[in-house]
Amino acid sequence: MDYQSILNSIYNEVLVLDNNGKIADYIPELKRVNTEKFGIALIDNYQKIYTVGDAIEKFSIQSISKVITTALIFSKIGNDLWQRVGFEPSGNAFNSLVQLEYENGIPRNPFINAGALVIADLMLEHFENPKEYFLNFIRELAENENINYNEIVAQSEKENGYRNAALVNYIKSFNNIKNDPDAVLDFYFHQCSIEMSCEDLARVFQVFSHNGIVPRSKFKFLTTSQCKRMNALMQMCGFYDQAGEFTFKVGLPGKSGVGGGVVAIYPNHYTVAVWSPKLNKKGNSFYGLETLERLTTITEASIF
Ligand code: GLU
């Protein structure tokens, strides 16, 4: 498959679309980004990388980080995880509080904020220095030592994170948060503030296209069943309230974030990451979805 010329033609086609998306502005620091940025990186199963546009520029990965924290905890505690968080799509906004009341503080899935906060709590429970551990783990998967938290973004979110503070305190009232809520929030805001490029992201997510194996080290990080379940979660819950439409149009598991990043996985074939900061009404990168829909349509290949 000539991925390079496919990406080039998709890039040129998408770039001329009328993009009336908007950048996320509820985290003030995210507003500073150049809204015209657009990059794509694809890594095939033999680790050959194809890029176009702003593919090596770093951006805020935000919610995409939730996949990696979830995978870490899943690899550590196995299916006990599902006593603390569910695995069903929520059908609600990513930062919604409403379901928690009648579902007794067990968030629907690990990718809505409520679920990610429970996972952050588990990170504090299972790792002595979770911030350091998480960053090092990401660096290893990305094969890049030059990945860091953005303290300014983390602080900016902390100063405005009333809803996340409400979520963590509310879940604690059901005894599903074990640590101090401020410590959980501090970890959560930091995990979201990590900056990576499309190339880094495509590399990190290879573990999910390689059956749970880290390609470079051959380390079997997730069992085959755990890897299947992580991909299933991404398929069902990876795109806010648009996971159904994403499945319908793209047909690959993946995850997006409010920083405008989108990553998708075609198991045993490739991983692909797109970055364009303007988001559609559902909070997903407008160009990101247009790009990925074209990719699976042109290549006539998806998991379905
Ligand atoms: N840190 C963001 C929040 O909690 C993440 C949102 C996202 O990317 O979905 O609101």
Side-chain angles (χ1 to χ4, degrees):
M1 190 79 71
D2 185 0
Y3 286 123
Q4 189 60 57
S5 59
I6 293 172
L7 292 189
N8 290 345
S9 69
I10 293 174
Y11 179 87
N12 291 328
E13 224 178 89
V14 171
L15 201 57
V16 296
L17 294 177
D18 192 16
N19 187 350
N20 48 19
K22 299 213 162 30
I23 58 162
D25 57 4
Y26 73 101
I27 302 173
E29 201 49 36
L30 291 185
K31 275 193 292 200
R32 297 162 66 92
V33 72
N34 176 347
T35 57
E36 302 311 310
K37 294 286 175 185
F38 180 30
I40 314 172
L42 183 150
I43 304 187
D44 71 14
N45 222 34
Y46 308 97
Q47 276 92 68
K48 189 159 174 6
I49 181 147
Y50 308 84
T51 61
V52 57
D54 302 307
I56 56 165
E57 193 161 324
K58 288 184 165 50
F59 58 92
S60 198
I61 66 165
Q62 291 297 321
S63 269
I64 299 173
S65 65
K66 294 170 179 172
V67 180
I68 309 301
T69 51
T70 303
L72 264 176
I73 293 299
F74 197 15
S75 76
K76 193 100 183 162
I77 69 172
N79 288 324
D80 288 349
L81 170 58
W82 312 118
Q83 286 166 14
R84 301 278 303 270
V85 63
F87 44 73
E88 293 289 349
S90 78
N92 276 307
F94 72 102
N95 54 6
S96 167
L97 282 128
V98 291
Q99 266 166 353
L100 284 171
E101 167 115 59
Y102 53 86
E103 294 183 355
N104 301 315
I106 308 290
R108 271 287 172 98
N109 69 65
F111 300 159
I112 51 174
N113 284 14
L117 288 162
V118 169
I119 301 287
D121 184 54
L122 285 159
M123 289 292 295
L124 265 57
E125 215 170 306
H126 289 278
F127 297 99
E128 209 170 304
N129 188 340
K131 269 197 239 174
E132 188 183 306
Y133 190 93
F134 184 58
L135 190 57
N136 284 336
F137 186 64
I138 292 262
R139 286 173 172 173
E140 196 181 312
L141 292 182
E143 300 171 24
N144 183 356
E145 286 300 303
N146 190 25
I147 289 176
N148 288 295
Y149 296 116
N150 182 326
E151 294 292 340
I152 298 169
V153 170
Q155 187 59 29
S156 175
E157 188 168 3
K158 187 175 183 176
E159 281 161 14
N160 297 277
Y162 301 111
R163 193 171 263 271
N164 285 319
L167 283 168
V168 79
N169 281 288
Y170 195 44
I171 303 169
K172 192 163 176 77
S173 76
F174 291 99
N175 203 26
N176 196 20
I177 291 282
K178 312 292 176 192
N179 294 277
D180 171 42
D182 285 339
V184 176
L185 287 170
D186 180 67
F187 177 80
Y188 175 74
F189 293 144
H190 276 85
Q191 73 169 77
C192 290
S193 80
I194 286 189
E195 292 181 329
M196 278 196 242
S197 66
C198 290
E199 188 171 326
D200 295 326
L201 266 180
R203 206 160 260 129
V204 166
F205 275 72
Q206 284 186 109
V207 69
F208 304 108
S209 68
H210 284 251
N211 239 327
I213 296 168
V214 181
R216 185 168 66 167
S217 64
K218 306 275 178 284
F219 170 58
K220 179 87 172 148
F221 165 55
L222 297 170
T223 67
T224 302
S225 158
Q226 285 171 340
C227 185
K228 173 185 75 181
R229 290 178 170 194
M230 287 303 306
N231 285 334
L233 274 174
M234 284 188 258
Q235 191 78 60
M236 295 184 293
C237 318
F239 294 90
Y240 309 113
D241 258 357
Q242 206 176 11
E245 189 177 340
F246 190 85
T247 298
F248 192 69
K249 292 186 170 167
V250 179
L252 297 176
K255 183 76 192 87
S256 62
V258 295
V262 185
V263 59
I265 296 135
Y266 185 15
N268 305 312
H269 290 83
Y270 62 71
T271 55
V272 59
V274 188
W275 173 47
S276 163
K278 288 190 192 166
L279 311 178
N280 66 21
K281 287 202 169 72
K282 302 272 182 162
N284 292 303
S285 169
F286 175 74
Y287 275 3
L289 263 61
E290 291 291 335
T291 299
L292 295 175
E293 183 179 1
R294 282 170 174 74
L295 178 63
T296 53
T297 307
I298 294 170
T299 55
E300 297 187 340
S302 80
I303 68 163
F304 298 107

